[in-house]
């Protein structure tokens, strides 16, 4: 039996790549990538000469079976996404589940992910939190927010800059305009920024200053001081 390695890659700064991640990507028999073009740039930067195979949300159900067969035959397989840790709002869960079911060893390397630094730097309680990732774009979006109305833990969301204002407005309606929150964008990049305040204040800020880049929204839980 081989080993399936889940390898985080930088969300912004290339210096966030770990030495172990570089070694695993060099030693693996094959590297599965969400986008081979994006990952090709990463591998070239670290002088990793290895075979890349496409593995993304549109084909993972079809390719996972052949990957499991490779692992059963003793190959070492490394899975990466475009940025961050595979499986966290990225492809990965299905392959991991199939590998586990087949009795294959799965090792996930610690490393870059966007929501942890956004949560810790928000200034909101981070001892207990709930990660919601991306909310539904249309159907079910409002009901999901309403289901979190009484959530007491800090809440963490991923959002597109094009939908951020709508999200802040919806949350202000459900959670109340005075609920504390933080919007962190471009984590680990040159223009990283955290904007903190009430949902009403954040709505005003991003109305006059249109948001850009990758965004993490952190919202205080109900009753949080």
């Amino acid at each position: 039996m081989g080993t399936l390695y889940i390898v985080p890659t930088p969300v912004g700064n290339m210096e966030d790549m770990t030495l172990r991640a570089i070694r695993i990507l060099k030693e693996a028999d094959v590297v599965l990538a969400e986008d081979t073009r994006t990952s090709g740039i990463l591998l070239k930067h670290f002088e990793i000469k290895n075979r890349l195979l496409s593995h993304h949300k549109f084909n993972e159900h079809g390719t996972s079976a052949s990957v499991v067969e490779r692992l059963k035959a003793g190959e070492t397989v490394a899975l990466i996404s475009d940025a961050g840790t595979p499986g966290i709002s990225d492809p990965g869960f299905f392959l991991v589940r199939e590998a586990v079911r087949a009795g294959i060893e799965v090792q996930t390397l610690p490393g870059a992910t966007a929501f942890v630094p956004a949560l810790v730097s928000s200034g909101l309680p981070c001892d207990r939190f709930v990660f919601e990732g991306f909310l539904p774009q249309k159907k079910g979006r409002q009901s999901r927010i309403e289901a979190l109305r009484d959530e007491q833990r800090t809440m963490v969301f991923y959002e597109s800059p094009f939908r951020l204002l709508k999200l802040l407005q919806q949350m202000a309606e459900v959670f109340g305009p005075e609920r504390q929150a933080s919007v962190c964008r471009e984590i680990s990049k040159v223009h990283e920024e955290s904007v903190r305040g009430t949902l009403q204040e954040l709505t005003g800020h991003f109305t006059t200053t249109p948001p850009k880049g990758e965004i993490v929204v952190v919202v205080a839980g109900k009753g949080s001081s």
Side-chain angles (χ1 to χ4, degrees):
M1 288 278 193
T3 301
L4 173 62
Y5 288 96
I6 309 302
V7 182
T9 54
V11 297
N13 194 320
M14 285 290 194
E15 292 180 357
D16 293 337
M17 190 76 167
T18 69
L19 295 174
R20 185 182 175 204
I22 295 171
R23 177 179 62 80
I24 293 297
L25 292 180
K26 286 181 176 179
E27 294 177 354
D29 292 300
V30 65
V31 176
L32 306 179
E34 183 178 5
D35 186 324
T36 54
R37 293 165 299 180
T38 300
S39 296
I41 296 171
L42 175 80
L43 266 60
K44 184 177 180 181
H45 180 84
F46 290 106
E47 299 180 345
I48 300 170
K49 298 179 176 65
N50 206 334
R51 184 184 179 193
L52 281 172
L53 290 181
S54 179
H55 184 86
H56 47 74
K57 65 180 181 180
F58 301 109
N59 74 359
E60 63 178 336
H61 286 73
T63 59
S64 292
S66 62
V67 173
V68 168
E69 289 306 312
R70 284 175 173 269
L71 290 160
K72 285 182 177 178
E75 289 191 21
T76 297
V77 177
L79 173 67
I80 58 177
S81 61
D82 288 349
T85 300
I88 303 297
S89 294
D90 277 330
F93 159 71
F94 185 79
L95 176 59
V96 170
R97 185 184 69 182
E98 295 305 296
V100 169
R101 285 177 173 175
I104 293 161
E105 181 180 5
V106 178
Q107 289 192 23
T108 301
L109 278 61
T113 190
F115 79 83
V116 173
L119 170 64
V120 175
S121 63
S122 70
L124 298 172
C126 53
D127 54 335
R128 297 174 67 245
F129 65 91
V130 55
F131 175 69
E132 288 291 322
F134 286 101
L135 292 172
Q137 292 185 24
K138 295 180 181 178
K139 186 178 180 181
R141 184 181 178 90
Q142 183 68 29
S143 60
R144 186 68 207 134
I145 295 173
E146 290 175 355
L148 295 167
R149 185 190 301 270
D150 296 322
E151 176 59 63
Q152 296 183 0
R153 295 168 293 182
T154 300
M155 297 167 279
V156 185
F157 306 84
Y158 285 165
E159 190 52 284
S160 155
F162 308 108
R163 292 189 296 272
L164 176 64
L165 263 180
K166 182 179 181 181
L167 176 66
L168 293 173
Q169 291 165 350
Q170 288 177 303
M171 287 181 167
E173 292 173 3
V174 176
F175 302 149
E178 297 305 310
R179 183 75 65 92
Q180 290 291 318
S182 171
V183 174
C184 189
R185 65 181 194 86
E186 295 292 79
I187 291 169
S188 195
K189 298 178 183 176
V190 175
H191 301 293
E192 179 176 340
E193 176 187 46
S194 287
V195 183
R196 307 170 182 88
T198 65
L199 288 170
Q200 185 175 46
E201 290 169 342
L202 291 174
T203 299
H205 173 83
F206 288 107
T207 298
T208 57
T209 309
K212 297 179 180 179
E214 303 287 329
I215 289 173
V216 184
V217 181
V218 185
V219 184
K222 184 178 181 180
S224 176
S225 57

